[in-house]
Amino acid sequence: MNPPGPRIACLAVIDLPLAAWRRADPALQRAPLAVSATSALTSRIVACSEEAHALGVRAGMTASQARARAPEVELRPLDPARLSAARAALTDAAFALGAEVEPDGDGALIAIGDLGRLYPDERAIGTELLRRARAVGLEARVGVAGSKGVARLAAWSGRRAIEVIAPGDEAAFISPLPIEALRPSEEARAALRRWGVADCGRLAAIDPKEVALRLGREGATLAALARGRADEPLDSRPPSFELEEGQALDFAIFDLEALTFVLSGVASRLLARLASRHLACGGVTLRLRLDDGGHDLREVGLAAPTREPAPLLAIVRLSVEERPPPAAVVAVTMIGHAARLKVSQLDLFAPAGPAPDRLATTVARLQALCGPDAVGRVAPLDTHRDEAFAILPFAALPIDERRAGSCGPPNIQLTLRRFRPPRAVEVLLGEGAIPRALSGEGLSAQLAIAAGPYRTSGEWWSQGGFHSDAWDVHASDGALYRLARDGAGHWFLEGYYD
């Protein structure tokens, strides 16, 4: 049975700067890692892993001090692009399970709502949230409580990876926590220190009106949270369907192979975020920041949505090969356009089609192999020009159309087998300018019957205008040919009827 009242889960990542680097570079997972504010040796360490802490590295040291203390430590600068992508990935993991999500700094708040109908208890919901976070490359913690503030405290200050605070136990959980767990401002922290308030229990013992009188609105909020009575509503945001992954490079890249290696990691992380939300990639916008200060922006479309990195990477690489960037690349950003994989309902009276996700993957692979403009479905253009068509994104026929094509009497008609390109021929005209004989490479025949001319013209308002006369002729060799004469008076053999 679900506990009464609204319940909130907080999904948080401790030391997100570390997690952002480890998400982008799996080789750093177990390495002694320290992240500094900048790449300068005089910059301060803002986060360090347990392995680096064991070697004596501490937050607040300069990068040169950390290097002197532990030469084997891996030093990395704070990367805003990786950090922003990691925060967005954590929000995607939250949206994979809940519909109401509020981004919360290095965490995300999720309204549990009716999730209790899908999972046996709130600890199981927390386990699923951790699994979703790992799927996008992040190790997280979960706190579950009846309000945002308490859930946040449970995630950041709990003793376990999943901390569930039952209704009525909020004060008992918060009381022993240090006052810094409430994240007061510097002024409020200094005032509480002067009062001798070191933990939340002592703050809860003070009259809230007295705290609010001296510390204002922040004091009232801190006093209510210390008592476990925070009631701030969840400010849910709609999910984004433009997912961005980026990476700044340590040095400028000129070589296509090196750039492809970087793009491979970016594409894999992007697709993992889309897959966590049960979405696929329908196309990407690739933004390359160049060494000369400029940008190279290009749109890369896909014939069908995909979740596989290989075809996406092949198509992006083909785009870079066709139009190389004008200068060396120093940063890469890939924006994925989310799309839903189409579902297909089976039918008792029509042949089963391929699974939609496998079909989409196959089409994407074909596009990577043949080129972005060579795969799709053919659609006729609104013109009288012969064989005028466009290639549109591929889509399987609906069941009704497949059923219509598989039932009823066969539609028997002559088929024109076209020569590509059409063969140039010489034509002898008889009375009334009717073709009587033709001669060309490997062909010479008398014409017994000639039906025509079938005159077509159009697009006269543009430079691509056309004008032609077509004849269907029965030749002495027994074949039925299609002859055509263009506007310049040249004759061509377009094909034969079968």
Side-chain angles (χ1 to χ4, degrees):
M1 180 179 296
N2 295 332
R7 301 287 287 174
I8 305 294
C10 177
L11 181 66
V13 175
I14 308 299
D15 288 333
L16 191 64
L18 291 175
W21 269 104
R22 286 179 166 174
R23 174 175 176 266
D25 188 356
L28 298 174
Q29 286 295 335
R30 299 300 176 189
L33 176 62
V35 178
S36 56
T38 66
S39 57
L41 290 176
T42 55
S43 64
R44 298 287 178 179
I45 301 296
V46 296
C48 62
S49 66
E50 293 181 0
E51 295 83 0
H53 193 274
L55 296 175
V57 178
R58 301 290 185 270
M61 285 183 173
T62 63
S64 59
Q65 288 173 335
R67 180 69 72 189
R69 180 70 62 88
E72 63 271 34
V73 71
E74 296 283 350
L75 285 174
R76 296 290 187 274
L78 195 65
D79 188 343
R82 285 186 173 92
L83 198 60
S84 175
R87 287 194 179 101
L90 188 67
T91 304
D92 290 331
F95 272 117
L97 200 64
E100 297 183 43
V101 175
E102 177 188 344
D104 184 53
D106 293 351
L109 297 162
I110 308 102
I112 289 180
D114 291 336
L115 289 176
R117 299 177 182 272
L118 301 176
Y119 298 92
D121 53 34
E122 291 177 341
R123 189 165 295 279
I125 295 174
T127 302
E128 182 64 16
L129 281 172
L130 294 183
R131 189 184 72 81
R132 301 282 183 170
R134 292 190 190 102
V136 295
L138 296 170
E139 289 294 332
R141 298 172 59 90
V142 174
V144 181
S147 65
K148 287 170 49 175
V150 180
R152 191 184 291 118
L153 284 173
W156 289 99
S157 305
R159 296 185 298 273
R160 295 176 289 270
I162 303 173
E163 193 74 55
V164 178
I165 310 301
D169 293 345
E170 292 87 354
F173 169 75
I174 297 173
S175 180
L177 297 180
I179 202 67
E180 287 75 18
L182 302 180
R183 300 184 181 182
S185 64
E186 288 297 331
E187 293 181 1
R189 182 184 290 110
L192 293 171
R193 190 181 300 117
R194 289 196 305 269
W195 300 351
V197 177
D199 56 50
C200 296
R202 293 186 180 183
L203 178 59
I206 302 175
D207 187 350
K209 294 180 180 180
E210 298 295 332
V211 178
L213 180 63
R214 289 162 177 78
L215 298 181
R217 179 175 298 179
E218 182 186 6
T221 302
L222 292 174
L225 184 56
R227 292 166 172 259
R229 297 177 183 176
D231 57 355
E232 186 182 1
L234 187 72
D235 183 16
S236 61
R237 315 286 174 83
S240 173
F241 290 94
E242 302 290 328
L243 277 64
E244 182 174 323
E245 279 287 337
Q247 182 170 332
L249 307 180
D250 296 333
F251 49 85
I253 288 181
F254 297 87
D255 183 53
L256 177 62
E257 294 299 326
L259 181 60
T260 302
F261 178 78
V262 174
L263 290 173
S264 175
V266 174
S268 297
R269 297 194 296 273
L270 179 66
L271 291 176
R273 288 174 55 188
L274 287 166
S276 71
R277 287 171 51 188
H278 314 289
L279 297 171
C281 182
V284 298
T285 300
L286 182 63
R287 185 168 66 240
L288 306 176
R289 183 155 58 87
L290 306 180
D291 194 22
D292 59 2
H295 287 82
D296 184 307
L297 185 68
R298 62 188 73 203
E299 294 287 339
V300 182
L302 297 177
T306 184
R307 289 179 182 171
E308 291 198 3
L312 175 61
L313 183 63
I315 296 168
V316 171
R317 176 183 173 131
L318 183 62
S319 173
V320 177
E321 282 181 337
E322 290 178 346
R323 182 168 61 87
V329 179
V330 296
V332 172
T333 302
M334 189 178 291
I335 303 172
H337 309 305
R340 297 189 183 277
L341 290 175
K342 294 184 177 179
V343 297
S344 179
Q345 177 66 46
L346 297 180
D347 190 86
L348 294 176
F349 306 102
D357 55 343
R358 295 184 180 181
L359 177 61
T361 299
T362 302
V363 172
R365 288 177 176 174
L366 287 173
Q367 184 187 16
L369 183 65
C370 304
D373 299 325
V375 178
R377 60 183 176 88
V378 176
L381 296 178
D382 187 14
T383 177
H384 293 292
R385 184 190 293 272
D386 284 345
E387 293 193 292
F389 66 90
I391 297 181
L392 303 180
F394 179 81
L397 288 176
I399 289 178
D400 293 341
E401 295 185 29
R402 279 190 273 147
R403 184 187 298 142
S406 61
C407 301
N411 186 13
I412 301 174
Q413 58 183 359
L414 287 176
T415 301
L416 178 62
R417 307 288 183 180
R418 288 187 176 271
F419 299 131
R420 292 186 173 88
R423 300 179 183 178
V425 294
E426 294 181 358
V427 176
L428 177 64
L429 299 178
E431 184 179 353
I434 297 176
R436 292 303 181 192
L438 63 86
S439 176
E441 184 179 355
L443 176 64
S444 180
Q446 298 291 326
L447 303 180
I449 302 174
Y454 306 117
R455 186 161 295 171
T456 57
S457 64
E459 302 179 12
W460 48 265
W461 55 88
S462 65
Q463 294 181 354
F466 63 93
H467 172 84
S468 66
D469 293 337
W471 297 76
D472 291 334
V473 297
H474 189 193
S476 57
D477 61 0
L480 185 61
Y481 294 106
R482 165 67 68 91
L483 277 174
R485 180 176 59 187
D486 63 15
H490 301 126
W491 287 89
F492 297 92
L493 193 64
E494 291 194 333
Y496 65 92
Y497 288 97
D498 188 3

